[in-house]
Amino acid sequence: MSTDDIILEEATSGEYKYGFTTNIEQEIAEKGLNEDVIRFISAKKNEPDWLLKYRLDAFHIWQKMEEPNWAHVNYQKPDFQAISYYAANKKKKKLKSLDEADPELLRTYERLGIPIEEQKILAGVAVDFVMDSESVFTSFKKQLAEVGIIFMSISEAVQEHPELVKKYMGTVVPPRDNFYAALNSAVFSDGSFVYIPKGVRCPMELSTYFRINAENTGQFERTLIVAEDDSYVSYLEGCTAPKRDENQLHAAIVELIAMDRAEIKYSTVQNWYPGDKEGKGGIFNFVTKRGLCKGVSSKISWTQVETGSAVTWKYPSCILKGDNSIGEFYSVAVTNNYQQADTGTKMIHIGKNTRSRIVSKGISAGRSENSYRGLVQINKTAENAYNFSQCDSMLMGETCGAHTFPYLEIKNKTAKVEHEATTSKIGEDQLFYCNQRGLDDEQAVHLIVNGFCKEVFKELPMEFAVEAQKLLEISLEGSVG
Amino acid sequence: MTTTSADKFEEAFSKLKKSESSIEAKSFRRFQKMGIPNRKSEAYKYSNLSYFKNLKPDTSGNIPHKLPDYFKHDYLKDKNLLVTVNGIFAESLSQFAEDEDGIHISCMCDARKEFRDIVEAKYNTTSSDHPDAFSEMNTAFAHCGIFVYAQRNAQAKKPIVMLHLAYKQDAGSIACQRNLIVLEQNSEVEIIEDYINLDEEEAFNINHFSEYFVEKDARLKVNVYQEESNKVHFIGNKFFELSERSNLKVTAVNFQGKFVRNNFRVILNGEHAEATVNGVFINENEDHTDSRILIKHNAAHCESFQTFKGILDDKSTGVFNGKVYVAEGAQKTNAFQSNKNILMSEEAVINTKPELEIYADDVKCSHGATCGQLDENAIFYAQTRGIPRDKAKKLIVFAFAQEVIQAIDNQDFKNFMERRLVHNLGLAEYSTHETVQSGIKQ
């Protein structure tokens, strides 16, 4: 075994550090999916009739759809009748401060290494903590309300701002969009709702930590962010999940809408349980994320760091409808052991002078499969559209796979589209150079990998970038050495 | 497949009287099961095949009595000339130099008797792991095509030109041509394939399938030239298998054609093999060209190169789907792929999908794809030098396409391609340059 291989071996054997279960009483719906379950969810959440109808319509669409299998992943299809579609914390009362929160929850924060009070004060981050399906804690709400920003769980928004939710929900990702979008539209549990009024620049980074907790409960978040004319918002989403042996399904929908000159920045750090070294267990992450640049000169930027989940199937996309609008996608996807990731983006150019940029970095180790799948579509109306895509893959080990499947569809001659992809490994000479300067192999690999991903990390807000680097280290720990 | 079309094929197949255990029958059953692919099939995502649903297999067997004027072309002089008509090898029209030692050429039917072992060992062995409806259809209904066999150490002195003629096909039928080319150890062969329609007004449908085996240290060059009329629907499968240290170079030049689908599949099975697959196409009117390339690195230390260029005008559409596959253990692979396209009109569409699928870590693989229109700065520069705008544009396109044509090794064929390019771009009317002048004579 060469030094490289030993380094790899060690890094790839790093264990998931966040595997523990919080014991909180939960209310769980009967397993299985039918109209009654949907009515139950809707009734539990005290939803208006239009939303129940929306869910039922989506359910009927879903029943007629087939599970897609074009992605470059291989997994045991979930049994949709063996999943419970609703889990909410039983004790439900509004909290004014952290002291009132369940001490069990607070301990969870601590073990996750996220000192929430400190973060609140130091970083100025409002945290909407989602424990399974229900939002139990929302902070900084008042401060945000002062500038007219609405930041609450989507269940609350349905009660308090039904007109906004009704107007925008499903306009970017309609229920019939795909199999998992239809499923989510039928049974979505909770998520965040953000509304930034005209001309407002959100004074802080908005953040949500998701955590899958109840056993056998698929989680179906629904996030909707609307940025009115001339507004700006940066939203962070980060996840860790407890260790468990059964596969869990996660099918979220995120919809972003940017009006004239508005800008939305959406960052994700995903670190769900990837399964153990033998590929047993782990989360199925089938997510539909899409942003609509509706207004002129609007901008939507996706940044993601994907290190977790057994199977990931995720394409944060931008529909560039407004003239001069901009779409961006920055991604680092790390797979290890038996993880499989099929991720990328879609850039749909409709408006004139629209621009998009794709930077994707894939790192595969162990026996994992890591695919980039992207679509750049320049429609006839998109005069002077420009796209640049760069997809780099790094392989660590002889048994993993790295793939690139870019689709370029160009229907306008004024378009300028550039795509490039490379695949490589960490060179012996690079390692040697670092060794010479006193770094051991592991440090050297982290240095090189961090350099490889820097282009994406620099797009993340500072605290997040630090966390992302840490995650990357944990994910590849011992994989080299 | 509609019932009527399925019936037509079924009827035609029963007439062939093949036993159920034959290769043909097995392929036919697989074809029946698959049917004509639709757009849901990833391999044909951007090509509409509905036209093929109403065809039946061609059984005309028409052969023209004399060769058309086309055969007076310079580049055909001093070559071995093999002619097929609607997929059938026409020996009476072919000319083959007698002093080619160790190179055997015959029709497939004779080869089955004379070189039975070779044919049995190789025939229809390349298509098993990636089933394709058209290659199965071809195997079921294959006409008696060309067999080329180069013995160990044999070197063909002259290039082998294959002229594939389409001539008075049955109405609404598709002709299935099948060739087998085997190069034994350390042999060398150069092939030029040229597709010609003898009647521009008539509709022709062709399903072409060639298998090429390049054994240890052997060298094969294949130049494919297609200039089809707007009545032609062409499906071509060319599958190559390469052994240790063998070398393959394919160049595909394609000017026009109502529907042209070229599927190149190169399997590198031996270490240190090298494959180059280049192509350029110019589409006009409502032409459609679909190029699909799979380069599969099964062995370590192999290299592959792809350069594909597309020029699309009017309402034409183009598809490029190039894939580099590196199998587990195929370490030290070098694979490069480049795809560049120019859209000349508002209505033209290009869909490109350059793929990498990699299962080995010590490899260097890269691909690039671009799409754009002609560079205004370049046009302006030419204009400032007194070149009319229209001509400037054509010259830039000429240079763009030249990258592929320049890389052709055979000088005669390269000159011929240059002239055709000049002619097709309408550069002839501006003739000053030597190649441009010779373009007028066309």
Side-chain angles (χ1 to χ4, degrees):
Chain A
M1 216 189 256
S2 75
T3 18
D4 282 32
D5 295 332
I6 298 162
I7 300 172
L8 280 170
E9 188 75 34
E10 279 180 27
T12 39
S13 56
E15 293 263 346
Y16 187 75
K17 287 186 177 163
Y18 300 144
F20 51 87
T21 312
T22 317
N23 297 316
I24 297 178
E25 275 182 89
Q26 301 226 337
E27 195 172 2
I28 295 175
E30 296 259 312
K31 283 179 182 176
L33 182 54
N34 52 45
E35 278 196 22
D36 291 341
V37 168
I38 291 166
R39 283 176 203 281
F40 170 80
I41 296 169
S42 191
K44 271 277 166 203
K45 292 169 144 318
N46 200 15
E47 286 175 357
D49 287 347
W50 63 265
L51 194 52
L52 175 63
K53 189 174 174 298
Y54 181 86
R55 284 175 183 273
L56 289 173
D57 287 349
F59 176 63
H60 295 139
I61 291 166
W62 178 76
Q63 280 180 311
K64 291 193 197 99
M65 289 175 115
E66 274 179 37
E67 211 180 335
N69 51 18
W70 42 262
H72 194 90
V73 291
N74 204 340
Y75 59 93
Q76 179 81 38
K77 299 259 152 92
D79 177 0
F80 294 99
Q81 297 305 333
I83 296 170
S84 170
Y85 288 86
Y86 184 77
N89 291 342
K90 226 175 183 178
K91 287 178 204 154
K92 199 180 170 187
K93 63 176 187 202
K94 303 264 174 193
L95 301 171
K96 290 194 192 85
S97 77
L98 274 180
D99 303 339
E100 290 178 33
D102 195 314
E104 191 78 12
L105 260 182
L106 292 177
R107 249 191 308 268
T108 309
Y109 292 131
E110 273 168 39
R111 290 177 71 178
L112 278 170
I114 308 158
I116 206 155
E117 292 96 333
E118 227 184 294
Q119 222 172 22
K120 261 163 62 181
I121 304 155
L122 291 176
V125 176
V127 176
D128 180 18
F129 193 95
V130 174
M131 182 85 173
D132 266 14
S133 314
E134 201 130 356
S135 167
V136 290
F137 191 80
T138 307
S139 60
F140 282 94
K141 206 164 150 183
K142 214 173 147 195
Q143 198 183 330
L144 291 172
E146 275 168 19
V147 284
I149 290 172
I150 303 168
F151 178 38
M152 56 178 61
S153 78
I154 202 137
S155 315
E156 284 177 282
V158 166
Q159 306 299 335
E160 292 178 32
H161 304 281
E163 72 298 337
L164 285 175
V165 178
K166 196 176 175 183
K167 186 175 172 189
Y168 293 111
M169 196 173 77
T171 56
V172 187
V173 182
R176 62 178 67 252
D177 188 80
N178 67 65
F179 183 82
Y180 288 104
L183 180 65
N184 178 291
S185 300
V187 300
F188 70 86
S189 34
D190 211 341
S192 301
F193 174 76
V194 180
Y195 179 83
I196 315 287
K198 274 185 192 177
V200 172
R201 198 183 157 85
C202 186
M204 63 190 80
E205 312 265 5
L206 301 181
S207 158
T208 301
Y209 285 81
F210 293 108
R211 186 175 169 82
I212 294 178
N213 200 279
E215 271 184 60
N216 278 330
T217 310
Q219 200 169 6
F220 303 93
E221 275 102 358
R222 183 101 199 183
T223 299
L224 176 59
I225 300 177
V226 181
E228 288 285 3
D229 297 355
D230 302 293
S231 64
Y232 168 84
V233 63
S234 167
Y235 187 89
L236 320 176
E237 174 199 73
C239 338
T240 52
K243 189 164 187 166
R244 198 185 327 283
D245 272 338
E246 283 155 85
N247 287 317
Q248 289 180 304
L249 177 65
H250 182 95
I253 291 182
V254 176
E255 293 177 286
L256 312 181
I257 299 163
M259 302 303 191
D260 290 356
R261 297 169 300 279
E263 181 178 345
I264 302 175
K265 201 171 154 59
Y266 194 102
S267 315
T268 310
V269 171
Q270 188 261 107
N271 182 30
W272 280 323
Y273 181 52
D276 62 17
K277 273 193 227 165
E278 273 70 53
K280 206 173 156 223
I283 306 279
F284 289 175
N285 188 19
F286 303 140
V287 185
T288 311
K289 290 185 171 182
R290 197 173 299 154
L292 173 63
C293 286
K294 203 171 179 182
V296 297
S297 305
S298 53
K299 179 176 174 184
I300 287 178
S301 174
W302 298 99
T303 307
Q304 61 172 24
V305 177
E306 302 275 322
T307 60
S309 293
V311 182
T312 301
W313 185 91
K314 179 182 177 188
Y315 314 93
S317 310
C318 297
I319 301 170
L320 303 168
K321 198 174 167 203
D323 292 349
N324 311 321
S325 58
I326 299 171
E328 287 178 338
F329 174 76
Y330 298 95
S331 165
V332 168
V334 182
T335 55
N336 201 344
N337 298 323
Y338 284 84
Q339 275 178 281
Q340 303 175 66
D342 193 305
T343 181
T345 184
K346 290 182 190 176
M347 293 291 173
I348 315 286
H349 292 252
I350 300 170
K352 293 189 180 79
N353 306 319
T354 46
R355 279 180 290 156
S356 63
R357 186 179 164 84
I358 299 170
V359 178
S360 166
K361 307 277 182 182
I363 301 169
S364 26
R367 302 197 67 88
S368 66
E369 299 282 337
N370 198 333
S371 308
Y372 166 81
R373 187 184 301 276
L375 168 71
V376 175
Q377 192 181 66
I378 313 281
N379 287 287
K380 215 161 252 172
T381 48
E383 290 286 316
N384 296 319
Y386 174 74
N387 162 268
F388 173 75
S389 319
Q390 187 188 341
C391 311
D392 297 325
S393 306
M394 186 180 273
L395 290 145
M396 303 175 118
E398 291 172 14
T399 47
C400 50
H403 320 300
T404 318
F405 306 104
Y407 294 71
L408 313 177
E409 301 178 2
I410 293 120
K411 300 190 175 80
N412 188 307
K413 70 162 183 169
T414 59
K416 258 194 194 158
V417 177
E418 296 164 18
H419 170 97
E420 55 183 52
T422 61
T423 302
S424 56
K425 66 180 270 192
I426 295 180
E428 298 254 0
D429 50 343
Q430 287 172 312
L431 278 180
F432 180 71
Y433 180 88
C434 295
N435 288 157
Q436 263 190 324
R437 269 132 192 92
L439 297 174
D440 66 24
D441 283 342
E442 190 140 342
Q443 287 170 319
V445 166
H446 290 152
L447 188 73
I448 294 164
V449 168
N450 265 322
F452 179 70
C453 301
K454 200 174 178 186
E455 229 179 317
V456 174
F457 285 160
K458 76 174 196 306
E459 296 296 323
L460 287 170
M462 206 258 289
E463 318 82 53
F464 239 35
V466 173
E467 191 173 330
Q469 280 190 18
K470 218 163 151 189
L471 267 183
L472 207 67
E473 252 170 58
I474 294 166
S475 305
L476 291 170
E477 195 163 76
S479 78
V480 205
Chain B
M1 222 187 316
T2 60
T3 31
T4 50
S5 169
D7 291 347
K8 282 180 202 165
F9 277 97
E10 179 75 61
E11 193 191 322
F13 192 75
S14 64
K15 276 185 195 160
L16 296 174
K17 297 204 166 54
K18 299 279 183 191
S19 80
E20 272 305 308
S21 60
S22 64
I23 291 177
E24 288 79 9
K26 282 179 191 157
S27 281
F28 183 65
R29 296 298 160 218
R30 280 195 291 269
F31 167 64
Q32 270 186 319
K33 219 173 169 182
M34 287 186 241
I36 302 289
N38 57 28
R39 287 201 180 208
K40 280 189 183 160
S41 158
E42 187 67 24
Y44 294 92
K45 189 178 161 76
Y46 298 111
S47 289
N48 186 351
L49 295 171
S50 55
Y51 174 86
F52 292 91
K53 288 187 178 169
N54 296 312
L55 301 178
K56 58 177 185 190
D58 168 70
T59 51
S60 62
N62 294 326
I63 289 192
H65 296 297
K66 70 176 184 67
L67 293 171
D69 291 345
Y70 185 88
F71 292 73
K72 289 170 189 158
H73 276 316
D74 291 353
Y75 97 92
L76 293 173
K77 274 182 199 151
D78 214 26
K79 308 274 191 302
N80 292 307
L81 197 59
L82 309 180
V83 180
T84 66
V85 182
N86 298 343
I88 304 169
F89 182 41
E91 206 166 352
S92 61
L93 301 177
S94 304
Q95 304 151 22
F96 184 68
E98 282 167 7
D99 59 343
E100 293 280 22
D101 295 330
I103 310 281
H104 299 274
I105 293 176
S106 69
C107 68
M108 281 302 299
C109 307
D110 289 348
R112 278 174 213 274
K113 295 172 205 147
E114 227 178 304
F115 298 99
R116 199 177 151 177
D117 296 348
I118 295 169
V119 175
E120 274 181 8
K122 305 288 188 194
Y123 185 75
N124 207 37
T125 56
T126 54
S127 62
S128 51
D129 57 341
H130 298 272
D132 175 83
F134 285 97
S135 64
E136 299 294 0
M137 182 214 280
N138 186 294
T139 307
F141 295 100
H143 286 317
C144 183
I146 299 175
F147 174 72
V148 176
Y149 167 51
Q151 279 181 327
R152 199 171 164 159
N153 300 331
Q155 289 196 16
K157 295 190 182 80
K158 298 171 184 171
I160 296 169
V161 180
M162 298 181 184
L163 292 176
H164 303 302
L165 310 185
Y167 177 70
K168 289 189 182 161
Q169 260 181 17
D170 290 343
S173 72
I174 181 160
C176 294
Q177 163 157 25
R178 183 61 170 265
N179 303 330
L180 176 64
I181 289 97
V182 180
L183 271 70
E184 276 192 349
Q185 192 171 341
N186 198 32
S187 61
E188 182 168 2
V189 169
E190 179 174 3
I191 292 171
I192 297 170
E193 296 196 52
D194 193 342
Y195 295 82
I196 302 144
N197 314 304
L198 291 190
D199 190 346
E200 296 258 312
E201 296 306 309
E202 269 189 80
F204 292 113
N205 309 303
I206 299 143
N207 176 348
H208 180 112
F209 182 10
S210 295
E211 292 174 283
Y212 305 80
F213 294 86
V214 190
E215 297 185 351
K216 274 184 197 169
D217 303 299
R219 281 104 41 215
L220 174 65
K221 279 178 192 147
V222 180
N223 297 301
V224 185
Y225 166 52
Q226 278 171 289
E227 185 162 349
E228 312 273 13
S229 77
N230 57 11
K231 296 270 171 82
V232 167
H233 287 73
F234 177 89
I235 302 266
N237 281 309
K238 287 184 173 13
F239 297 167
F240 302 86
E241 246 182 65
L242 272 63
S243 307
E244 287 97 315
R245 297 179 301 277
S246 61
N247 192 305
L248 170 73
K249 185 171 177 186
V250 180
T251 309
V253 182
N254 185 305
F255 300 139
Q256 298 158 2
K258 173 80 182 163
F259 182 102
V260 176
R261 155 99 175 180
N262 274 316
N263 185 8
F264 298 101
R265 187 185 297 159
V266 181
I267 317 285
L268 299 148
N269 277 336
E271 293 192 357
H272 298 284
E274 183 185 319
T276 308
V277 184
N278 293 342
V280 60
F281 70 84
I282 300 181
N283 276 5
E284 291 171 1
N285 306 319
E286 290 182 11
D287 296 344
H288 177 82
T289 302
D290 179 343
S291 306
R292 186 175 165 85
I293 299 107
L294 168 67
I295 299 203
K296 198 169 177 183
H297 287 260
N298 282 340
H301 299 283
C302 291
E303 294 199 336
S304 70
F305 307 89
Q306 295 173 60
T307 307
F308 263 78
K309 296 196 151 189
I311 298 151
L312 298 106
D313 205 348
D314 303 326
K315 288 184 175 178
S316 65
T317 47
V319 182
F320 172 80
N321 181 0
K323 181 173 193 165
V324 173
Y325 180 102
V326 181
E328 206 175 314
Q331 300 292 15
K332 307 284 179 195
T333 290
N334 276 349
F336 304 97
Q337 182 193 62
S338 144
N339 173 238
K340 291 178 181 165
N341 301 287
I342 291 186
L343 294 182
M344 308 274 289
S345 82
E346 306 292 335
E347 310 272 343
V349 173
I350 177 76
N351 294 306
T352 158
K353 190 180 154 204
E355 295 174 67
L356 297 176
E357 197 171 330
I358 294 163
Y359 298 93
D361 65 335
D362 195 3
V363 300
K364 263 189 206 151
C365 297
S366 67
H367 68 198
T370 61
C371 178
Q373 58 182 345
L374 294 179
D375 184 0
E376 274 302 324
N377 289 333
I379 298 171
F380 177 73
Y381 178 86
Q383 281 182 297
T384 60
R385 264 89 193 138
I387 299 168
R389 184 176 172 83
D390 190 42
K391 185 186 176 187
K393 277 185 173 177
K394 287 171 179 173
L395 278 175
I396 294 166
V397 174
F398 179 79
F400 179 76
Q402 267 290 58
E403 185 188 340
V404 170
I405 288 168
Q406 278 296 325
I408 296 172
D409 296 307
N410 187 300
Q411 194 60 41
D412 292 344
F413 186 67
K414 178 157 74 182
N415 291 345
F416 178 60
M417 284 300 96
E418 256 178 29
R419 287 202 301 275
R420 292 313 298 166
L421 183 61
V422 165
H423 174 82
N424 275 296
L425 291 174
L427 262 174
E429 55 191 285
Y430 300 106
S431 62
T432 47
H433 186 263
E434 191 192 320
T435 50
V436 176
Q437 268 177 349
S438 54
I440 305 174
K441 290 176 198 156
Q442 289 302 314

